[in-house]
Amino acid sequence: MPHDHGHAHIDPDSGDRRVAIAIWANGLLTVAQIVGGILSGSLALIADALHNFSDMASLVIAFAARKIA
């Protein structure tokens, strides 16, 4: 009984690059939302920026854990 399946294996370094891009994207979005929130006086935008910052922090932790492992 042969075991044949059709999916591609992803290079682990490719995954690290994608996580790094996601970290930078969240960081830039956080800064933009804080600036926009301050300029427009929007507490909702600043609150969402803090939410994005927590997302970025979790990605940093995951990235660091991947590098350590």
Side-chain angles (χ1 to χ4, degrees), residues 1-27:
M1 213 190 272
H3 179 77
D4 187 27
H5 52 276
H7 69 271
H9 292 271
I10 297 173
D11 179 28
D13 291 335
S14 171
D16 288 348
R17 185 177 59 83
R18 290 177 185 189
V19 173
I21 290 169
I23 290 169
W24 281 104
N26 269 306

Side-chain angles (χ1 to χ4, degrees), residues 9 12-13 15 20-21 28 37 40 42-43 47 49-50 54 57 68:
H9 292 271
D13 291 335
I21 290 169
L28 291 173
S40 67
S42 173
L43 188 59
L50 293 175
S54 69
I68 291 170

Side-chain angles (χ1 to χ4, degrees), residues 12-67:
D13 291 335
S14 171
D16 288 348
R17 185 177 59 83
R18 290 177 185 189
V19 173
I21 290 169
I23 290 169
W24 281 104
N26 269 306
L28 291 173
L29 181 62
T30 298
V31 170
Q33 285 183 321
I34 288 174
V35 170
I38 290 170
L39 292 176
S40 67
S42 173
L43 188 59
L45 229 96
I46 294 171
D48 193 46
L50 293 175
H51 173 236
N52 283 334
F53 181 78
S54 69
D55 290 344
M56 184 183 71
S58 64
L59 285 169
V60 168
I61 291 169
F63 188 78
R66 170 91 169 100
K67 289 296 185 181

